[in-house]
Amino acid sequence: MALLLAVTTSCTGSTPGSGAVAAGKYGTAGVGDRLFPALGNGGYDVTHYGLTLDYVPETNHLKGTAVITARATQDLSRFDLDLSGLRVRTVTVRGAGAHFTRAGNELQVTPAKAVRPHEVFQTVVTYDGTPRTLKYGSGSAREGWLETDDGSTALGQPSGSMTWFPGNHHPSDKATYDITVTVPKDEDGDPYDVISNGELVAEKDHGKTVTRHWRNKEPMASYVAHVSVGDFEIHRGRSKNGVPVYVATDPAEAKTAAGVPDLVPEMIDWGSTLFGPYPFSLTGAVVDHLPDLEYALETQTKPYFGESPDEGLLVHELAHQWFGDSVTPRAWKDIWLSEGLTSYAEWLWEEKRGGRTTEQTFKDYYDGKDEESAGIWAFPPANPPSAARLSDPPVYGHGAMVIHKVRQAVGDATFFDILRTWTRQHRHGNADTRQFITLCETKSGKDLTTLFDTWLFAKEKPSRM
């Protein structure tokens, strides 16, 4: 996944009237993630983000106000927020001006009065500037705030969300979101479309600008928070199970993506049968025109695609709504659980559509006959060697092979019971590899140590067994 981009400048400031700063205990910068030690922050849990953004596509200028509601987990005389680039104008804590300092990707905030353990408090940050684009992984792919041919899109895995709003940008700290974006109308007087997570709860025409307010009322990790601005064709409907569907398609992709509005509800209902009830109040997709993006992302409720997806990619990102978005990795090394399970969903869908069986796909991966199998033995899926390798083949293809071996070991009835129990027990929360192993052993009544040691943790390619 993307490496954090170092910021070479730093600045300090304080809101007028902030007065003397408090003395006492500091929240940590970073939550101790092995792969991303500087990402996230200690000392508090965010419960809600209220983001109010003004964006001008022609100049790529963003102006924002972030209202961050959090609960302190310790005494806090200072705490950090992750933020890359952008100029911070003011910071208040509990309505009072706060002193702030920039150091790399950290916004260090010192409230006038220390926050007490368990106290719920609000921090308000006003900021502006041109949002950054960050390098994604070891290749040429990008994340963060990306300009498109008719607007922009914000993609955050694993750290790009900090390029457009300050926060606690580690997946272990999930929160609800209200995202309100104001954009101008184009030269013909037509407003830009604004798509974000969750449900559109308000829309207001101000004459020269339009404001849209999106609400995600289920907890969300910041890396799947999303905003797309541009020209889109909107398709609304419902699945047979009654889930509302919202699909936005760039006109340049309309012909090749014509089947997406019908496939999305079909896949969601299918997934609900296998994985448990759909975890959100709405589903959909955003099919943009950004063909050099090199990846798709499971942005919560509406996965994002830079161009029209094939069925395998579409079902992969929709399966992430259960595995990754609702049940989110506790640490980045646990990402194999999300990617392995959603890659296995691709195998299941292919079998459903009359293609290869999951057993044949497993064999093709093992024998190196599948085009996606190159490099899957480079490292154990549960132990990526670095942040830059987070999206490498072992996490996906090898991870799916681990899931298939579990299915073989426990049988179909127990296997799908495990999946439904997993999504029910950890719905809208975080979970890790050890919890998954424990669930598999509890449900099956079997000691699966050898299986996981061989297929998940071993460095060498296993015998076929």
Side-chain angles (χ1 to χ4, degrees):
M1 309 301 281
L3 295 171
L4 298 184
L5 181 66
V7 181
T8 57
T9 61
S10 64
C11 62
T12 62
S14 60
T15 300
S18 60
V21 298
K25 195 170 182 180
Y26 292 174
T28 59
V31 297
D33 192 298
R34 177 179 65 82
L35 296 174
F36 295 90
L39 201 59
N41 301 287
Y44 63 93
D45 291 319
V46 178
T47 58
H48 183 74
Y49 290 95
L51 306 178
T52 302
L53 310 175
D54 285 271
Y55 178 65
V56 181
E58 288 82 0
T59 60
N60 196 30
H61 186 269
L62 180 71
K63 181 179 179 181
T65 299
V67 180
I68 304 166
T69 304
R71 182 185 62 84
T73 59
Q74 63 175 63
D75 278 317
L76 279 179
S77 62
R78 193 184 82 183
F79 59 90
D80 284 22
L81 297 167
D82 302 316
L83 183 65
S84 179
L86 299 171
R87 180 177 179 86
V88 175
R89 298 294 183 174
T90 63
V91 180
T92 64
V93 179
R94 303 194 204 83
H99 180 80
F100 62 90
T101 301
R102 301 296 296 276
N105 292 324
E106 301 294 327
L107 171 61
Q108 299 171 339
V109 178
T110 305
K113 182 180 178 182
V115 180
R116 298 305 177 194
H118 312 298
E119 180 182 347
V120 175
F121 65 103
Q122 278 193 340
T123 302
V124 180
V125 182
T126 63
Y127 56 97
D128 59 69
T130 300
R132 289 185 164 169
T133 296
L134 306 182
K135 184 180 177 182
Y136 179 95
S138 56
S140 59
R142 302 161 296 146
E143 62 163 336
W145 193 273
L146 310 177
E147 289 189 86
T148 63
D149 59 350
D150 60 355
S152 64
T153 192
L155 301 174
Q157 186 174 345
S159 58
S161 51
M162 67 178 175
T163 65
W164 59 283
F165 69 96
N168 202 16
H169 291 290
H170 188 269
S172 60
D173 192 0
K174 301 171 70 170
T176 57
Y177 282 72
D178 279 273
I179 300 176
T180 302
V181 185
T182 298
V183 291
K185 295 181 179 179
D186 63 22
E187 57 186 15
D188 296 322
D190 297 321
Y192 286 91
D193 292 307
V194 177
I195 317 298
S196 189
N197 311 93
E199 301 176 41
L200 182 62
V201 296
E203 185 171 11
K204 187 172 183 180
D205 191 324
H206 306 283
K208 294 184 178 181
T209 62
V210 172
T211 300
R212 293 180 178 86
H213 177 187
W214 292 86
R215 175 169 294 155
N216 203 93
K217 59 187 179 183
E218 298 94 359
M220 177 168 69
S222 64
Y223 77 90
V224 289
H226 168 242
V227 169
S228 280
V229 177
D231 180 22
F232 293 96
E233 298 176 2
I234 308 301
H235 308 265
R236 294 178 175 87
R238 284 185 179 270
S239 76
K240 290 183 178 179
N241 288 350
V243 179
V245 178
Y246 187 105
V247 175
T249 306
D250 188 293
E253 301 291 334
K255 184 176 180 179
T256 53
V260 172
D262 291 327
L263 278 171
V264 168
E266 180 183 355
M267 290 175 173
I268 288 297
D269 286 349
W270 169 79
S272 298
T273 300
L274 297 180
F275 313 139
Y278 181 69
F280 303 114
S281 60
L282 177 142
T283 191
V286 176
V287 182
D288 209 343
H289 184 63
L290 192 60
D292 62 345
L293 181 63
E294 300 182 15
Y295 65 94
L297 186 61
E298 60 269 23
T299 46
Q300 191 156 304
T301 68
K302 304 176 196 70
Y304 180 89
F305 304 90
E307 58 187 333
S308 179
D310 61 25
E311 288 193 20
L313 183 59
L314 184 61
V315 78
H316 181 105
E317 302 304 334
L318 288 171
H320 266 307
Q321 304 307 299
W322 287 268
F323 308 114
D325 290 11
S326 178
V327 185
T328 303
R330 191 177 306 281
W332 278 111
K333 67 180 177 60
D334 299 309
I335 194 68
W336 82 272
L337 276 168
S338 301
E339 301 299 352
L341 284 161
T342 51
S343 295
Y344 197 67
E346 292 185 59
W347 298 12
L348 291 166
W349 181 260
E350 182 180 352
E351 183 175 68
K352 168 186 160 44
R353 302 290 269 187
R356 293 176 298 177
T357 65
T358 53
E359 179 64 20
Q360 185 58 54
T361 303
F362 176 89
K363 291 178 180 178
D364 288 347
Y365 269 75
Y366 186 89
D367 295 334
K369 295 180 179 179
D370 190 284
E371 62 181 9
E372 301 292 332
S373 63
I376 62 172
W377 309 110
F379 57 81
N383 191 27
S386 68
R389 306 291 299 278
L390 201 64
S391 290
D392 281 10
V395 175
Y396 291 73
H398 191 167
M401 296 178 78
V402 176
I403 300 302
H404 188 70
K405 294 304 291 186
V406 171
R407 182 182 178 185
Q408 287 180 326
V410 304
D412 279 10
T414 300
F415 173 74
F416 288 106
D417 182 34
I418 288 169
L419 297 190
R420 289 187 287 269
T421 301
W422 180 252
T423 61
R424 183 181 69 252
Q425 288 183 345
H426 303 290
R427 185 180 176 93
H428 304 316
N430 296 89
D432 59 33
T433 299
R434 180 50 55 189
Q435 289 173 299
F436 184 74
I437 293 172
T438 298
L439 178 63
C440 292
E441 293 186 328
T442 300
K443 283 289 185 180
S444 67
K446 295 183 178 182
D447 183 347
L448 300 176
T449 302
T450 299
L451 185 155
F452 284 106
D453 283 349
T454 302
W455 287 93
L456 181 60
F457 297 115
K459 294 181 179 179
E460 62 277 356
K461 179 179 178 178
S463 61
R464 192 185 292 275
M465 294 176 63

